[in-house]
Amino acid sequence: QVKEVEETIDEMLIRLDEFCGMTDVIRNDTSQLLDETIPLIKAKVVEMNNIYAKVDKLEAFVKMVGRHVSFLEEQVLQVERDHSSVSHAVRRILQSVTIPSFKNV
């Protein structure tokens, strides 16, 4: 019966040693994560925030340009309409005027 207890104790010591080994691996991985990986992630976050800010500025610029283009397009259309009506009026006036013939001079 003592032999069984010794075997059980040996088995428990082996399992305890395995458990300690696993906790050491986890502790090392955690230290590496905290010391190396997280600072890299923080640096990438700062870099991405700068990129997001630039994208936001670019979007605002594109919207502003779009508004100006729409405004200018409306002005061009208005000028074309105005020019067309003036052009038609001038044509009507010129067509209504009789031009004397200079053939018999």
Side-chain angles (χ1 to χ4, degrees):
Q1 196 172 20
V2 171
K3 184 138 176 108
E4 287 179 23
V5 171
E6 285 179 351
E7 288 176 2
T8 303
I9 290 174
D10 286 341
E11 186 68 28
M12 289 176 76
L13 287 173
I14 290 171
R15 300 288 173 236
L16 181 61
D17 190 41
E18 290 173 353
F19 178 76
C20 288
M22 285 179 24
T23 56
D24 285 341
V25 168
I26 291 170
R27 191 175 299 120
N28 288 337
D29 287 349
T30 303
S31 294
Q32 180 181 6
L33 181 70
L34 291 174
D35 294 340
E36 296 173 13
T37 308
I38 289 180
L40 291 174
I41 291 172
K42 285 182 179 181
K44 281 294 181 186
V45 166
V46 169
E47 182 181 336
M48 292 306 295
N49 284 336
N50 291 334
I51 290 172
Y52 294 149
K54 288 178 183 178
V55 168
D56 289 342
K57 288 178 183 178
L58 184 59
E59 285 178 344
F61 177 75
V62 168
K63 285 180 184 177
M64 180 190 69
V65 168
R67 286 191 305 267
H68 287 295
V69 167
S70 295
F71 176 74
L72 289 174
E73 184 178 16
E74 190 58 40
Q75 284 186 330
V76 166
L77 292 174
Q78 184 61 42
V79 168
E80 285 176 347
R81 285 191 294 268
D82 293 347
H83 176 69
S84 175
S85 62
V86 169
S87 175
H88 287 301
V90 169
R91 276 192 207 131
R92 280 189 221 133
I93 292 171
L94 291 176
Q95 288 172 352
S96 65
V97 175
T98 56
I99 300 175
S101 175
F102 293 104
K103 291 180 182 177
N104 297 334
V105 177

